[in-house]
Amino acid sequence: MHEVAHAPKVPHIEGHFESTATVRDIVIGLSDGLTVPFALAAGLSGAVASSRIVVLAGLAEIAAGSIAMGLGGYLAARGDAEHYVSERQREEREIVERTHDEEEEVYEIFERYSVDRASAAPALAALKENPTAWVDFMMRFELGLEEPAANRAHRSALTIASSYVAGGFIPLLPYMLVTGNLEALKLSVVITLVALALFGALKGKLVGTGWLRSAIQTTLIGGIAAAAAYALASLLNGSHP
Amino acid sequence: MHEVAHAPKVPHIEGHFESTATVRDIVIGLSDGLTVPFALAAGLSGAVASSRIVVLAGLAEIAAGSIAMGLGGYLAARGDAEHYVSERQREEREIVERTHDEEEEVYEIFERYSVDRASAAPALAALKENPTAWVDFMMRFELGLEEPAANRAHRSALTIASSYVAGGFIPLLPYMLVTGNLEALKLSVVITLVALALFGALKGKLVGTGWLRSAIQTTLIGGIAAAAAYALASLLNGSHP
């Protein structure tokens, strides 16, 4: 909040749409990658004797999670791009075929901001002189759609997947290196909570929600998810001797 | 695409922002819930003898994944809401304290759509008569921010988490009901791929990308993630006798 309020205005706006997408992808991948394999490993470590199975399950989870999230991000970004193109083509048709309706829509957009017809008329006249600009205007102001960056889908998939893998290895390392599930669990809890706190603080700095609050929130999510997985696995393990 | 192109125009626009958020939450939760526990269970079933461990790991994954994604969705939605409020307060201050700069920004916004200063002036004059409308205008047209629906954060968290749980139980059921890991794996693959195809088709219908293509994509993601997890777990299991 602090950072946002003091950032220079124009760079902030320009930076807003550019960086949000990539930062969001890293945040999505890293927060789930740090949290879910951590919670799964913690849960299993209380229920199975061998740390081999914990590592195996953790790595299988990282493979499954990074692919599912990466491909999911790819399709979501491609879907956004296609949605933009198809809506744009529709607007291009409509300003030609249903010019009057589209003019009325421009008046309606301005009316929502209490700009009356007479005050909106000169702007509409200017838009009508440049059909491309008019379509741009309708895309943004009628439909609220931004043109997605080119290659967004590939970049999004790779960013999410690699962030997930990077995050997922942190909680698993102790189970690979330390003998004894309980020792590994303790070490995994410590390093992962520290990693979650650091990641949360950095995220809070970047997104502008305040580093301390973000650090606490991120750590809590990981902790709660791990505690729930641990409790569930212990419970089921107890009932199934 | 078909549905979108033929929907009545105004309801389509209004419906656009309302439904997208909830549909997106269901899609996020269900696609990951169907995919990751499925892939994890498939991966483990090739590496461990007991279906008890597969079920245990699967349920721990569902607990961890649904909590991590649900809480993550909650914080993301709350962050959006707070971001909107803080940016709005800044705009409210700025139209009072830096009126001239904000007027120039309105001209710049119109210029991007090749509306010259003279044509934009009457609209600006009308905006200046209603400060609330002017702030609304800047929020939408300068910053591209929509006001998030009230209670969005809670709803988002619950929708994502319950969709994840619902999706996650489908691939695990066979391991709970059928004896023999290989039999359970076969059944899990069949019912989960069918579920992914149905879910993908429905998603394609709702989002308007075409049901067949969406069904194929969704099924492929799940299949690829499961195959990768299976291959990885088998490989690691082979190297660690």
Side-chain angles (χ1 to χ4, degrees):
Chain A
M1 219 175 277
H2 185 80
E3 289 71 30
V4 169
H6 286 75
K9 188 117 195 209
V10 176
H12 164 69
I13 304 156
E14 295 303 319
H16 189 75
F17 293 108
E18 294 285 324
S19 71
T20 298
T22 305
V23 169
R24 222 184 165 104
D25 286 344
I26 294 175
V27 167
I28 289 171
L30 211 50
S31 54
D32 272 33
L34 274 169
T35 307
V36 184
F38 166 53
L40 174 67
L44 282 181
S45 72
V48 299
S50 133
S51 71
R52 208 196 100 240
I53 287 175
V54 175
V55 172
L56 210 58
L59 291 176
E61 210 290 332
I62 291 176
S66 61
I67 290 172
M69 291 193 77
L71 286 180
Y74 175 79
L75 290 181
R78 238 186 44 176
D80 285 350
E82 282 167 14
H83 182 60
Y84 183 87
V85 168
S86 81
E87 292 286 312
R88 191 174 180 98
Q89 286 167 344
R90 190 172 110 193
E91 287 299 330
E92 282 166 357
R93 269 198 318 275
E94 288 185 346
I95 65 166
V96 176
E97 292 168 11
R98 292 171 46 190
T99 313
H100 181 72
D101 290 348
E102 290 293 307
E103 287 173 13
E104 283 303 310
E105 281 176 9
V106 173
Y107 283 127
E108 278 163 26
I109 290 168
F110 279 111
E111 244 162 60
R112 276 180 236 149
Y113 302 93
S114 55
V115 174
D116 56 287
R117 295 178 78 91
S119 308
L124 173 58
L127 285 175
K128 288 185 68 178
E129 289 192 9
N130 188 335
T132 308
W134 192 7
V135 171
D136 286 342
F137 181 89
M138 300 309 280
M139 292 306 290
R140 176 73 187 263
F141 297 165
E142 185 201 2
L143 299 173
L145 294 176
E146 295 285 319
E147 183 164 15
N151 267 328
R152 172 99 195 79
H154 286 100
R155 248 193 304 136
S156 182
L158 280 176
T159 309
I160 294 177
S162 48
S163 305
Y164 195 98
V165 172
F169 264 93
I170 293 174
L172 286 190
L173 276 177
Y175 298 96
M176 296 171 171
L177 303 175
V178 177
T179 45
N181 255 355
L182 193 64
E183 287 309 303
L185 171 64
K186 283 180 196 163
L187 196 60
S188 176
V189 168
V190 171
I191 66 167
T192 309
L193 292 183
V194 170
L196 281 166
L198 288 175
F199 161 66
L202 194 67
K203 185 181 86 176
K205 269 278 189 198
L206 278 174
V207 180
T209 36
W211 65 272
L212 182 61
R213 199 179 128 195
S214 175
I216 293 171
Q217 285 176 338
T218 312
T219 313
L220 268 181
I221 292 184
I224 291 170
Y230 187 90
L232 183 74
S234 303
L235 199 76
L236 291 171
N237 199 44
S239 68
H240 258 270
Chain B
M1 218 174 278
H2 186 79
E3 288 72 27
V4 170
H6 286 75
K9 188 116 196 210
V10 176
H12 163 69
I13 305 157
E14 295 304 319
H16 188 76
F17 294 107
E18 294 286 324
S19 71
T20 298
T22 305
V23 169
R24 220 183 167 106
D25 286 343
I26 294 175
V27 166
I28 288 170
L30 210 50
S31 53
D32 272 33
L34 274 169
T35 307
V36 183
F38 167 54
L40 174 67
L44 283 180
S45 71
V48 298
S50 132
S51 71
R52 207 195 101 240
I53 287 176
V54 176
V55 172
L56 210 59
L59 291 176
E61 211 288 334
I62 292 175
S66 61
I67 289 172
M69 292 193 77
L71 286 180
Y74 174 79
L75 290 181
R78 238 189 40 178
D80 285 350
E82 281 167 16
H83 183 59
Y84 184 86
V85 169
S86 80
E87 292 287 311
R88 190 173 181 98
Q89 286 167 344
R90 192 173 108 191
E91 287 299 331
E92 282 166 357
R93 267 198 318 276
E94 288 185 349
I95 65 165
V96 176
E97 292 168 11
R98 292 170 47 189
T99 313
H100 180 70
D101 290 349
E102 290 293 307
E103 286 174 14
E104 283 305 310
E105 281 176 8
V106 172
Y107 284 127
E108 279 163 26
I109 291 168
F110 279 111
E111 244 162 59
R112 275 180 236 150
Y113 302 93
S114 57
V115 174
D116 56 286
R117 294 178 79 92
S119 308
L124 173 59
L127 284 176
K128 288 185 68 177
E129 288 192 9
N130 187 334
T132 308
W134 192 8
V135 171
D136 286 343
F137 182 89
M138 299 310 279
M139 292 307 290
R140 177 73 187 263
F141 297 165
E142 184 200 3
L143 300 173
L145 295 176
E146 295 286 318
E147 182 163 14
N151 268 329
R152 173 98 195 79
H154 287 100
R155 249 192 303 135
S156 182
L158 280 176
T159 309
I160 293 177
S162 48
S163 305
Y164 196 98
V165 172
F169 264 93
I170 293 174
L172 287 190
L173 276 178
Y175 299 96
M176 295 172 174
L177 303 175
V178 177
T179 45
N181 253 356
L182 193 63
E183 287 309 303
L185 171 63
K186 283 181 195 163
L187 197 59
S188 176
V189 168
V190 172
I191 66 167
T192 309
L193 291 183
V194 169
L196 280 165
L198 287 175
F199 160 66
L202 194 67
K203 186 180 85 175
K205 269 279 191 198
L206 278 175
V207 180
T209 36
W211 66 271
L212 182 61
R213 199 180 128 197
S214 175
I216 293 169
Q217 285 178 337
T218 313
T219 313
L220 268 181
I221 292 184
I224 292 170
Y230 187 90
L232 184 73
S234 303
L235 200 75
L236 291 170
N237 200 44
S239 68
H240 257 270

